[in-house]
Amino acid sequence: MGIIGKTPEDRASACWQLDREVSDQSAHDLGRELLTGLPDGAINIGFEAVDRHVEEGHGDQPALIWHSKEGERETLSYHDLAAASSKFANLLQSHGLKKGARVFVAMGRRPELYAAALGTLKAGMVFTPLFAAFGPEPLKTRMEIGDANVLLTTKSMYKRKIASWRAEIPSLELVLIVGDEAPDDCVALGPAMQAASDTFQAVHTQPEDPALVHFTSGTTGRPKGAVHVHGAVLYHALSGRYALELQPGLTYWCTADPGWVTGTTYGIISPLVNRVTMIIDEAEFNLERWYGILEKERVAIWYSAPTAIRMMMRAGKEATEGFDFSALEFLASVGEPLNPEAVIWSNEVFGKPFHDNWWQTETGGIMIANTRARDIKPGSMGKPLPGIEAGIVEAEDGGLRELPDGEIGELALRPGWPSMMRAYLHEQARYDKCFKDGWYLSGDLAMRDADGYFWFVGRADDLIKSSGHLIGPFEVESALIEHDAVAEAAVIGIPDETAGEIVKAFVTLNPGQSPSEDLERDIRGLARKRLGAAVAPREIVFRQTLPKTRSGKIMRRLLKARALGLPEGDISTLETDET
Ligand code: ATP
Ligand code: MG
């Protein structure tokens, strides 16, 4: 299998072919064709991502091109990355750590992070990335839940956020510090790497051996630690090839941080397994810098998120002028619903639409996607990938009933694809609740249309019931951002005696716009025209920012808790905010 083609046109038409060829093969079979494997059914993500490419003669190909905050540019070939990850694996073993040991990383997007991820996997140990921007408390809770044995971090993070509670995590045996110096109770990474051998035979892990623990974004409540296994790489390979069109030699940029599952599955594993050259930017979102990277590196495949796309839209088309985006072949988005407005906008500005796709930390890989093989329906998440069966279900008589096309219910998947989570750490009951009647329940509400496309409606918790109508926040938010003045919108339900709930909206404005009663009336007028009076927001509040998680998701539950004067709940992943 492969969407292999020399030109963008070849590749686009090969996608068509693929869609027809693979429709009834299992995800396991399809994934296996893209991998090498190890003797006796063993499979190791780290081996598949780097070592085998070197064995197959591709060691000189750039694996990653790193842009530092300060503007340096550094290239690591597959050979360099294999050597650096081998050193890290040897280093771990030299400290007596064994297969299954849990290795946490909390640092910015620097080459050491990538070497550590792959070295940990090659050593058969379990990798957990955490956002470098987390405060002391979120770092500590996650390391506690995950029984961390090793932590790789920076000196300044260690001093500011970790040293004071380190002793309270008895499982933590080794703290590695990036650079050449480290406090007395830590080990400096630089000299330790230098001393380690750069050859290492990847551990022959079995498909069910744990490989990764990822914490969910915490959008709906306390984050869960989802466990993924080495066998997941079958699906990492397949879904990257199929939904993102990753293939050997292409330049690819995933803007997500590895602290969020997208930044690991599609920011480390899938691209390397598919032998692309990946771009890594250490800096945070900065429009000019991003456009510059797209142009300079001639990025062909770009995977980003609605929050960033809406920021680009906010800056306007003018900001893109003078940049050359002609290398771009395929754009994809994940993390939140992608408003139809954004799809149309990107098509105008980049000459290519963003392709929305849907998945979760739990699913380990993209489940439903818009691909080039099929027409995009702007506002839809697309169709299930090959080997994935999705349905819309509703609780009935203690079981589940599948709903017909056109009806709103919970989005569910038939378990069994390779990258499905195997547990929530220490939360068996919460895990068991995700499965019922042969389905995995996603917690999201959606609808399937007659053509088999899935449409996101909202989180099950975010659904609004007003005067007998079921209202999905996404639909209302998309109508609001159609207004020229509106940049972003978040919609919640507020209890109301007569209607049950009424719709309340929070919006941020585009540059040059300022809040006024006239503007509010105008936005409400547009919403009423688009949605009808029953669904349009009754009240609109103007804000400078919306509360978001570090992975860029709007935290509606926080807006709601505040509006109702309720406790805020777990806000360990909260990034931007204004009260
Ligand atoms: P938590 O489970 O802790 O509340 P979270 O669900 O936001 O956090 P993630 O696993 O990072 O954590 O995000 C998955 C969720 O993101 C999905 O369940 C869905 O609600 C949302 N999502 C992802 N992609 C899309 C998309 N393309 N369209 C709409 N929603 C999406
Ligand atoms: Mg979730």
Side-chain angles (χ1 to χ4, degrees):
M1 185 196 85
I3 319 176
I4 304 289
K6 288 265 174 285
T7 67
E9 291 72 29
D10 284 351
R11 289 194 278 270
S13 71
C15 287
W16 275 103
Q17 210 48 44
L18 185 71
D19 199 26
R20 303 221 172 90
E21 281 168 17
V22 302
S23 47
D24 43 338
Q25 292 183 47
S26 85
H28 287 84
D29 291 344
L30 292 167
R32 207 165 285 125
E33 288 175 37
L34 294 166
L35 302 172
T36 309
L38 290 165
D40 305 321
I43 189 149
N44 182 297
I45 298 179
F47 172 78
E48 297 296 336
V50 278
D51 294 2
R52 66 146 170 158
H53 300 311
V54 177
E55 284 178 11
E56 288 164 10
H58 303 290
D60 291 340
Q61 184 191 316
L64 59 90
I65 298 174
W66 176 65
H67 288 252
S68 81
K69 264 186 201 155
E70 294 78 23
E72 303 151 74
R73 180 181 187 274
E74 196 179 308
T75 302
L76 269 75
S77 65
Y78 274 91
H79 179 271
D80 297 337
L81 196 55
S85 53
S86 287
K87 279 175 172 278
F88 195 80
N90 281 319
L91 188 168
L92 292 173
Q93 286 193 346
S94 74
H95 282 269
L97 292 149
K98 300 263 169 335
K99 186 179 166 205
R102 286 159 299 262
V103 180
F104 278 61
V105 171
M107 61 177 288
R109 292 181 293 276
R110 301 180 60 88
E112 292 90 337
L113 189 166
Y114 296 81
L118 295 158
T120 300
L121 292 165
K122 278 162 55 169
M125 300 181 197
V126 182
F127 180 70
T128 301
L130 298 176
F131 279 107
F134 273 154
E137 201 47 46
L139 290 170
K140 184 181 174 198
T141 1
R142 284 163 182 73
M143 285 174 58
E144 252 164 6
I145 298 175
D147 304 308
N149 301 122
V150 181
L151 171 68
L152 170 64
T153 187
T154 62
K155 195 157 141 194
S156 113
M157 274 191 74
Y158 182 75
K159 285 192 172 155
R160 284 184 295 123
K161 304 186 192 175
I162 294 158
S164 66
W165 50 259
R166 172 184 176 172
E168 294 167 41
I169 304 210
S171 61
L172 188 56
E173 297 164 37
L174 172 65
V175 176
L176 293 162
I177 302 288
V178 177
D180 293 333
E181 290 163 42
D184 285 346
D185 51 353
C186 303
V187 172
L189 185 71
M193 287 283 273
Q194 218 154 34
S197 153
D198 64 2
T199 50
F200 184 86
Q201 283 294 325
V203 169
H204 289 195
T205 37
Q206 288 302 311
E208 288 301 310
D209 285 339
L212 304 152
V213 170
H214 274 295
F215 288 91
T216 59
S217 292
T219 314
T220 58
R222 191 163 42 91
K224 299 145 272 191
V227 179
H228 292 281
V229 296
H230 277 277
V233 69
L234 274 80
Y235 198 75
H236 296 154
L238 157 76
S239 56
R241 181 63 62 93
Y242 189 83
L244 301 178
E245 300 192 17
L246 302 181
Q247 57 171 293
L250 287 184
T251 303
Y252 162 77
W253 185 20
C254 168
T255 60
D257 187 273
W260 173 34
V261 68
T262 303
T264 300
T265 297
Y266 299 105
I268 305 179
I269 300 169
S270 177
L272 294 176
V273 166
N274 281 300
R275 195 162 49 82
V276 307
T277 294
M278 52 181 204
I279 304 296
I280 291 157
D281 182 16
E282 189 189 8
E284 292 312 312
F285 178 84
N286 171 315
L287 201 68
E288 229 172 286
R289 187 176 161 108
W290 277 31
Y291 289 160
I293 289 178
L294 288 173
E295 172 180 283
K296 242 192 303 192
E297 299 294 355
R298 303 213 37 88
V299 172
I301 317 264
W302 189 24
Y303 195 22
S304 197
T307 179
I309 300 166
R310 288 191 297 257
M311 281 198 263
M312 294 179 224
M313 289 169 71
R314 192 171 178 168
K317 194 173 177 172
E318 309 84 80
T320 65
E321 269 152 29
F323 289 99
D324 172 8
F325 301 122
S326 60
L328 280 174
E329 281 185 38
F330 186 78
L331 281 55
S333 161
V334 70
E336 281 198 302
L338 185 65
N339 316 86
E341 192 72 4
V343 179
I344 296 158
W345 183 84
S346 73
N347 204 20
E348 274 170 22
V349 171
F350 301 113
K352 298 280 182 308
F354 268 98
H355 293 72
D356 188 18
N357 57 55
W358 176 92
W359 59 292
Q360 308 178 300
T361 307
E362 290 86 342
T363 69
I366 299 168
M367 296 281 107
I368 297 180
N370 285 288
T371 62
R372 275 204 284 184
R374 313 148 175 169
D375 290 333
I376 295 183
K377 291 198 187 189
S380 147
M381 313 187 282
K383 292 182 177 189
L385 289 191
I388 301 301
E389 185 187 344
I392 302 293
V393 301
E394 185 185 69
E396 189 186 67
D397 302 332
L400 291 177
R401 176 172 79 98
E402 234 190 302
L403 294 177
D405 291 344
E407 284 188 30
I408 294 173
E410 184 160 358
L411 175 55
L413 302 156
R414 289 282 184 209
W417 68 91
S419 67
M420 181 60 192
M421 69 162 164
R422 298 299 197 270
Y424 282 141
L425 276 184
H426 308 308
E427 294 197 89
Q428 189 62 37
R430 213 169 171 190
Y431 175 79
D432 292 339
K433 261 180 70 181
C434 299
F435 299 90
K436 201 173 185 179
D437 261 9
W439 289 100
Y440 161 73
L441 294 165
S442 71
D444 285 345
L445 296 173
M447 186 269 284
R448 180 175 48 203
D449 70 17
D451 301 324
Y453 285 71
F454 284 75
W455 298 76
F456 183 81
V457 172
R459 310 278 188 144
D461 304 342
D462 292 338
L463 196 72
I464 303 163
K465 298 183 187 89
S466 186
S467 309
H469 296 270
L470 284 183
I471 302 169
F474 173 50
E475 185 189 5
V476 182
E477 290 160 7
S478 288
L480 292 170
I481 76 163
E482 271 182 48
H483 193 285
D484 286 340
V486 177
E488 285 198 290
V491 162
I492 61 170
I494 298 285
D496 178 78
E497 271 183 17
T498 41
E501 278 185 307
I502 54 161
V503 180
K504 178 169 180 170
F506 299 83
V507 302
T508 63
L509 296 176
N510 283 322
Q513 302 285 346
S514 46
S516 72
E517 276 177 30
D518 281 350
L519 182 58
E520 193 201 337
R521 211 171 308 119
D522 200 54
I523 299 171
R524 266 196 290 134
L526 174 79
R528 255 204 306 276
K529 207 163 85 200
R530 286 270 182 286
L531 305 163
V535 176
R538 207 69 79 73
E539 197 188 333
I540 296 177
V541 178
F542 295 106
R543 290 180 51 120
Q544 292 296 322
T545 59
L546 296 173
K548 285 189 187 161
T549 65
R550 298 219 164 267
S551 49
K553 296 165 196 276
I554 298 172
M555 282 171 114
R556 294 178 191 77
R557 69 171 161 99
L558 187 58
L559 290 168
K560 186 157 178 168
R562 285 184 183 154
L564 302 181
L566 297 171
E568 292 187 340
D570 186 306
I571 50 165
S572 59
T573 62
L574 183 65
E575 181 181 37
T576 49
D577 197 27
E578 151 213 343
T579 39

